[in-house]
Coordinates of all heavy atoms in Angstrom, one line a residue:
K371 N -138.8 63.9 76.4 CA -140.2 63.4 76.5 C -140.6 62.9 75.1 O -140.4 63.6 74.1 CB -141.1 64.6 77.0 CG -142.5 64.2 77.0 CD -143.3 65.2 77.7 CE -144.8 64.8 77.8 NZ -145.6 65.8 78.4
L372 N -141.2 61.7 75.1 CA -141.7 61.2 73.9 C -143.2 61.0 74.0 O -143.6 60.4 75.1 CB -141.1 59.8 73.6 CG -139.6 59.8 73.5 CD1 -139.1 58.3 73.3 CD2 -139.0 60.6 72.3
R373 N -144.0 61.4 73.0 CA -145.4 61.1 73.0 C -145.8 60.3 71.8 O -145.5 60.8 70.7 CB -146.2 62.4 73.1 CG -147.7 62.2 73.1 CD -148.5 63.5 73.2 NE -148.3 64.2 74.5 CZ -148.9 63.8 75.6 NH1 -149.8 62.8 75.6 NH2 -148.6 64.5 76.7
I374 N -146.3 59.2 72.0 CA -146.8 58.4 70.8 C -148.2 58.8 70.5 O -149.1 58.9 71.4 CB -146.8 56.9 71.2 CG1 -145.3 56.4 71.6 CG2 -147.3 56.0 70.0 CD1 -145.3 55.0 72.2
T375 N -148.5 59.1 69.2 CA -149.8 59.6 68.8 C -150.1 59.1 67.4 O -149.5 58.2 66.9 CB -149.7 61.1 69.0 OG1 -151.0 61.7 68.6 CG2 -148.7 61.8 68.1
G376 N -151.1 59.7 66.8 CA -151.6 59.3 65.5 C -152.5 60.4 64.9 O -152.3 61.5 65.3
G377 N -153.4 60.0 64.1 CA -154.3 58.9 64.0 C -154.5 58.2 65.4 O -154.2 58.8 66.4
E378 N -155.1 57.1 65.4 CA -155.3 56.4 66.7 C -154.1 55.4 66.9 O -154.1 54.3 66.2 CB -156.6 55.7 66.6 CG -156.9 54.8 67.9 CD -156.5 55.5 69.2 OE1 -156.8 56.6 69.4 OE2 -155.8 54.8 70.0
P379 N -153.2 55.7 67.8 CA -152.0 54.9 67.9 C -152.3 53.4 68.3 O -151.5 52.5 67.9 CB -151.2 55.6 69.0 CG -152.1 56.5 69.7 CD -153.2 56.8 68.7
L380 N -153.4 53.1 69.0 CA -153.6 51.8 69.4 C -154.1 50.9 68.2 O -154.2 49.7 68.3 CB -154.6 51.7 70.5 CG -154.2 52.4 71.8 CD1 -155.2 52.1 72.9 CD2 -152.8 52.2 72.2
L381 N -154.2 51.5 67.0 CA -154.5 50.7 65.8 C -153.2 50.1 65.2 O -153.3 49.2 64.4 CB -155.2 51.6 64.7 CG -156.6 52.0 65.0 CD1 -157.1 52.9 63.8 CD2 -157.5 50.8 65.1
R382 N -152.1 50.7 65.6 CA -150.8 50.2 65.1 C -150.5 48.8 65.7 O -150.5 48.7 67.0 CB -149.7 51.2 65.3 CG -148.3 50.7 64.8 CD -148.1 51.1 63.4 NE -146.8 50.5 62.9 CZ -145.8 51.2 62.4 NH1 -145.9 52.6 62.4 NH2 -144.7 50.7 62.1
K383 N -150.3 47.8 64.9 CA -150.1 46.5 65.4 C -148.8 46.4 66.2 O -147.8 47.0 65.9 CB -149.9 45.5 64.2 CG -151.2 45.2 63.5 CD -151.1 43.8 62.8 CE -152.4 43.6 62.1 NZ -152.3 43.8 60.6
H384 N -148.9 45.6 67.3 CA -147.7 45.3 68.1 C -147.2 46.5 68.8 O -145.9 46.6 69.0 CB -146.6 44.6 67.4 CG -147.1 43.4 66.5 ND1 -147.8 42.3 67.1 CD2 -147.1 43.2 65.2 CE1 -148.1 41.5 66.1 NE2 -147.8 42.0 65.0
L385 N -148.0 47.5 69.1 CA -147.5 48.8 69.7 C -146.7 48.5 71.0 O -145.7 49.3 71.2 CB -148.6 49.7 69.9 CG -148.2 51.1 70.3 CD1 -147.5 51.8 69.1 CD2 -149.4 52.0 70.7
P386 N -147.0 47.6 71.8 CA -146.2 47.4 73.0 C -144.7 47.1 72.7 O -143.8 47.4 73.5 CB -146.8 46.2 73.7 CG -148.3 46.3 73.3 CD -148.2 46.8 71.9
V387 N -144.5 46.5 71.5 CA -143.1 46.3 71.1 C -142.3 47.6 71.0 O -141.2 47.8 71.4 CB -143.0 45.4 69.8 CG1 -141.6 45.2 69.4 CG2 -143.7 44.1 70.0
L388 N -143.0 48.5 70.3 CA -142.4 49.9 70.1 C -142.2 50.5 71.5 O -141.1 51.1 71.8 CB -143.2 50.8 69.2 CG -142.7 52.2 69.1 CD1 -141.3 52.3 68.4 CD2 -143.7 53.1 68.3
V389 N -143.2 50.4 72.3 CA -143.1 51.0 73.7 C -141.9 50.5 74.4 O -141.1 51.2 75.0 CB -144.4 50.8 74.5 CG1 -144.3 51.2 75.9 CG2 -145.6 51.6 73.8
S390 N -141.7 49.2 74.3 CA -140.6 48.6 75.1 C -139.2 49.1 74.5 O -138.3 49.4 75.3 CB -140.6 47.1 75.1 OG -140.5 46.6 73.8
Q391 N -139.2 49.3 73.2 CA -137.9 49.8 72.6 C -137.7 51.3 73.1 O -136.6 51.7 73.4 CB -138.0 49.7 71.1 CG -138.0 48.3 70.6 CD -138.1 48.2 69.1 OE1 -138.1 49.1 68.4 NE2 -138.2 46.9 68.6
L392 N -138.8 52.1 73.1 CA -138.6 53.5 73.4 C -138.3 53.6 74.9 O -137.6 54.5 75.4 CB -139.9 54.3 73.1 CG -140.2 54.4 71.6 CD1 -141.5 55.1 71.3 CD2 -139.0 55.1 70.8
A393 N -138.9 52.7 75.7 CA -138.7 52.8 77.2 C -137.3 52.5 77.6 O -136.8 52.9 78.6 CB -139.7 51.8 77.9
A394 N -136.6 51.8 76.7 CA -135.2 51.5 77.0 C -134.2 52.7 76.7 O -133.0 52.6 77.1 CB -134.7 50.3 76.2
L395 N -134.7 53.7 76.0 CA -133.8 54.8 75.7 C -133.5 55.7 76.9 O -134.3 55.6 77.9 CB -134.5 55.7 74.6 CG -134.8 55.1 73.3 CD1 -135.5 56.1 72.4 CD2 -133.4 54.6 72.6
R396 N -132.5 56.5 76.9 CA -132.1 57.3 78.0 C -131.8 58.7 77.5 O -131.5 59.0 76.4 CB -130.8 56.8 78.7 CG -131.1 55.4 79.4 CD -132.0 55.6 80.6 NE -132.3 54.4 81.3 CZ -133.4 53.6 81.1 NH1 -134.3 54.0 80.1 NH2 -133.7 52.5 81.7
T397 N -132.0 59.7 78.4 CA -131.7 61.1 78.1 C -130.2 61.2 78.1 O -129.4 60.3 78.5 CB -132.2 62.1 79.2 OG1 -131.5 61.8 80.4 CG2 -133.7 61.9 79.4
L398 N -129.7 62.4 77.7 CA -128.3 62.7 77.7 C -127.7 62.5 79.0 O -126.5 62.1 79.2 CB -128.0 64.1 77.2 CG -127.7 64.4 75.8 CD1 -127.5 65.9 75.6 CD2 -126.6 63.6 75.3
E399 N -128.5 62.7 80.1 CA -128.0 62.6 81.4 C -128.1 61.2 81.9 O -127.8 60.9 83.1 CB -128.7 63.6 82.4 CG -128.6 65.0 82.1 CD -129.5 65.5 81.0 OE1 -130.5 64.9 80.7 OE2 -129.1 66.5 80.3
G400 N -128.6 60.3 81.1 CA -128.7 58.9 81.5 C -130.0 58.6 82.2 O -130.1 57.5 82.8
E401 N -131.0 59.5 82.2 CA -132.2 59.2 82.9 C -133.2 58.6 81.9 O -133.1 58.8 80.7 CB -132.9 60.6 83.3 CG -132.0 61.4 84.2 CD -131.9 60.8 85.6 OE1 -132.9 60.2 86.1 OE2 -130.8 60.9 86.2
P402 N -134.2 57.8 82.5 CA -135.3 57.3 81.6 C -136.0 58.5 81.0 O -136.2 59.6 81.6 CB -136.2 56.5 82.5 CG -135.4 56.3 83.8 CD -134.4 57.4 83.9

Side-chain angles (χ1 to χ4, degrees):
K371 180 169 178 182
L372 302 177
R373 178 177 296 279
I374 300 170
T375 180
E378 174 45 44
L380 300 191
L381 289 178
R382 179 85 185 241
K383 284 205 185 101
H384 312 300
L385 193 66
V387 175
L388 174 65
V389 168
S390 64
Q391 292 176 8
L392 296 176
L395 297 176
R396 292 292 175 266
T397 66
L398 264 184
E399 297 79 27
E401 303 290 326

